[in-house]
Amino acid sequence: MPHMLKRKDYERQLDSLHLELIELQRWVALRGRRLCVLFEGRDAAGKGGTIKAITEKLETRHYRIVALPRPGETERGQWYFQRYVPHLPQAGEIVLFDRSWYNRAVVEPALGFCTRAQYRRFLDDCPVFEELLVRDGIILLKYWLAVDQAEQERRFRARADDPAKRWKLSPVDLASRRKYAEFGRLRDAMLARTHRPGAPWFVVNYNDQKQGRLSLIRHLLDQVPDRHAPAPRVRLPALRHAPEREQLTDPGFWIAPQA
């Protein structure tokens, strides 16, 4: 097993990156920019944990996480990209997709959730769709989180053995275990067909999730080099009286402290 980053080193580096992420969010809000980041990858690669690490210190009003469920009957009859359009970022907003329209490029064809014709049409249409987004001013970044099968299996076993993590094992996860090579083949075809200068793909090694998160966040920040928006200093004037205690007219509303 490769050397894994120690938690203390990880947290120290992540704390520094959080400050830069806060500045990035402030820049997006002040400039009215739109930042859209797609997180794709194998099951158990670490998409959710990475999104949580990115957003941990951000102001909740200026970012959204989008993780759509399987399409319903009405959505299956729509233009494929239609269900994703309402979730694109507005001015001053960051949107992080925990899986995106790229379900049709890998997961759906691998598991038989779409036809070959639908798959081929997606590969033709997707670059056109994304070009329209970029031309309209959206900053679009696409990340694939890569993990070896042995490490993926270790994470699956950890989820299966831990009642607190067992909910993460979906039927799709279990089905995908038999499709490791197929996922890789479809991923490579996706990268070849949909990598464009304005909508690039980036692949990150996630065999060490902590190191993967740090590498991805650093890279994301580097894609917006002019993001500087320093926060103004805040001076708190002194209180004009001694600090007061919280008092209730009816103390019965207090919850008793737990031993």
Side-chain angles (χ1 to χ4, degrees), residues 193-204:
R193 293 289 300 277
T194 62
H195 177 74
R196 295 291 187 276
W201 273 107
F202 305 102
V203 179
V204 188

Side-chain angles (χ1 to χ4, degrees), residues 59-79:
E59 183 182 353
T60 56
R61 290 179 296 176
H62 295 293
Y63 79 82
R64 284 185 291 117
I65 299 170
V66 178
L68 298 183
R70 291 180 62 178
E73 188 64 31
T74 299
E75 291 172 317
R76 285 195 291 270
Q78 296 174 343
W79 175 50

Side-chain angles (χ1 to χ4, degrees), residues 15 20 31 46-47 58 95 108 159-160 183 186 195 212 245:
D15 283 344
E20 295 187 62
R31 298 285 185 87
K47 295 179 291 295
L58 297 184
V95 171
E108 290 187 13
R159 291 180 178 185
F183 269 56
L186 289 164
H195 177 74
R245 298 187 62 184

Side-chain angles (χ1 to χ4, degrees), residues 1-2 4 43-45 147-162 165 169 177 180 206-210 213:
M1 179 179 295
M4 296 294 183
D43 296 306
V147 61
D148 295 338
Q149 190 170 23
E151 177 60 20
Q152 184 186 46
E153 281 293 297
R154 187 192 69 77
R155 295 175 192 176
F156 280 150
R157 286 195 298 272
R159 291 180 178 185
D161 294 341
D162 186 348
K165 296 181 179 179
L169 273 178
R177 291 180 66 233
Y180 187 88
Y206 259 71
N207 284 306
D208 180 344
Q209 286 187 322
K210 297 185 186 69
R213 289 173 195 162

Side-chain angles (χ1 to χ4, degrees), residues 66-119:
V66 178
L68 298 183
R70 291 180 62 178
E73 188 64 31
T74 299
E75 291 172 317
R76 285 195 291 270
Q78 296 174 343
W79 175 50
Y80 177 72
F81 296 98
Q82 187 170 340
R83 71 190 300 246
Y84 295 99
V85 170
H87 302 283
L88 292 171
Q90 302 175 29
E93 189 177 44
I94 298 172
V95 171
L96 309 171
F97 277 87
D98 186 347
R99 293 203 184 277
S100 66
W101 46 88
Y102 280 101
N103 274 330
R104 180 139 297 178
V106 178
V107 175
E108 290 187 13
L111 301 181
F113 295 159
C114 70
T115 67
R116 290 293 300 174
Q118 288 172 326
Y119 167 69

